[in-house]
Amino acid sequence: MKPPAMRSQGRGLQLYTLFYLLFLYAPIILLPLFAFNSGTVIAFPLQGFTTEWFAQMWGNATLRRALMNSLTIAVSASILATCLGIFAARASTRFEFPGRGGIMGFILLPMVLPEIIVAMSLLVVLLGTGVQLSILTVIVGHTLICMPYAIAVLSTAFSSLDRSLEEAAYDLGETKWGAFRLVTLPLVMPGIISSLLISFTISLDEFIIAFFLAGNEPTLPTYIFSQLRFPRAIPVIMALGTVLVILSIVLLALGEYFRRRGNARIGGSPTGGLM
């Protein structure tokens, strides 16, 4: 039997956890409720069930353009961040070189810097060098933001890999590139896929960098922000938000699945941390 004080403390922690989860996820739960509500005013009571807002969402040409821009940016940034992350993670986990800790800390710095500072700095540099703002500049900014997360995932995959597997490949006559391509790369592939999915999700949802660097090209976050001024557009935004939340949850779940699968495959802890 637990003492009454411990039981009381346990109930207090349970209530705190419950209220915390409600505070964190209640706004997300409200999104689909109002997305399928036939009323144009975001308020209770709900008026009825409808899918009209989803139909208007798919029929909006500007929204489709913003969606294509965001998908182009997210795919490009995730591929670039993952490729660069592979080089950085490989170097940091396999080689000793002067200043390794400082260099890796510098690469991971965008993870802790305020995004508005990063966005303003990039804007000043790009305008100062005469670069025209476009989708390409957003891709550069998103790659910078996504790289620390890609490196965090990939460093776990590379550090958990048994080095004796590569040494066995060398003993059998493989070159360093051959051992990396035939042995290392397949074993860390779940981590690479996880990095791609997480980077894609971060880029797709990112607003501040796109707001500063997109120029006249809309992305989904900037389009949503511009439509918040029009009350009749809010239900369509709720429908779009519902789709984005579902997509983000699916991608993050897939990323976590591949990360755990990669850790288990190479002998690490499936529930281990990213760093």
Side-chain angles (χ1 to χ4, degrees):
M1 290 290 293
K2 292 182 179 180
M6 292 186 63
R7 290 200 300 269
S8 176
Q9 184 180 20
R11 285 194 295 268
L13 290 175
Q14 290 174 357
L15 288 175
Y16 170 79
T17 303
L18 177 62
F19 283 118
Y20 175 80
L21 292 176
L22 286 174
F23 176 79
L24 189 64
Y25 292 108
I28 298 177
I29 296 173
L30 291 177
L31 272 177
L33 287 179
F34 290 115
F36 290 102
N37 180 34
S38 59
T40 57
V41 178
I42 308 302
F44 288 102
L46 303 177
Q47 297 187 11
F49 180 84
T50 183
T51 58
E52 176 187 355
W53 313 124
F54 290 91
Q56 290 187 20
M57 178 184 68
W58 297 123
N60 190 316
T62 306
L63 192 153
R64 289 200 304 271
R65 180 184 173 192
L67 173 63
M68 291 306 299
N69 286 342
S70 285
L71 290 177
T72 301
I73 293 168
V75 170
S76 302
S78 61
I79 292 174
L80 286 172
T82 299
C83 289
L84 295 172
I86 289 174
F87 298 142
R90 173 73 174 177
S92 65
T93 56
R94 282 293 182 268
F95 303 104
E96 295 286 345
F97 51 89
R100 184 181 66 171
I103 293 173
M104 292 307 299
F106 184 75
I107 294 175
L108 297 175
L109 194 59
M111 183 183 288
V112 296
L113 282 177
E115 284 193 18
I116 191 169
I117 302 299
V118 177
M120 291 179 62
S121 302
L122 287 173
L123 180 64
V124 170
V125 171
L126 291 171
L127 293 180
T129 55
V131 177
Q132 187 72 25
L133 298 182
S134 64
I135 290 178
L136 292 177
T137 55
V138 182
I139 292 174
V140 171
H142 282 195
T143 301
L144 181 65
I145 293 297
C146 293
M147 265 191 63
Y149 299 93
I151 292 172
V153 174
L154 292 167
S155 293
T156 301
F158 278 107
S159 62
S160 301
L161 184 64
D162 189 353
R163 296 192 182 191
S164 62
L165 298 175
E166 293 178 331
E167 294 170 356
Y170 299 150
D171 292 339
L172 293 174
E174 282 293 343
T175 62
K176 289 186 176 182
W177 166 246
F180 179 79
R181 180 173 59 88
L182 298 175
V183 178
T184 306
L185 203 58
L187 289 175
V188 299
M189 186 57 65
I192 294 174
I193 296 174
S194 177
S195 171
L196 285 169
L197 292 174
I198 292 174
S199 298
F200 179 89
T201 303
I202 292 171
S203 176
L204 189 66
D205 294 341
E206 207 284 326
F207 169 75
I208 298 177
I209 300 291
F211 182 78
F212 277 84
L213 302 183
N216 295 326
E217 291 292 337
T219 64
L220 269 181
T222 58
Y223 173 81
I224 292 173
F225 179 76
S226 68
Q227 294 300 299
L228 294 177
R229 297 173 295 172
F230 309 107
R232 292 191 63 84
I234 298 299
V236 179
I237 299 302
M238 290 290 183
L240 178 59
T242 301
V243 174
L244 290 177
V245 166
I246 294 173
L247 178 61
S248 298
I249 291 174
V250 170
L251 290 178
L252 287 174
L254 285 173
E256 179 64 12
Y257 166 76
F258 280 108
R259 187 186 71 82
R260 289 171 178 255
R261 180 182 173 186
N263 283 352
R265 184 177 180 181
I266 59 183
S269 172
T271 58
L274 293 180
M275 289 296 288

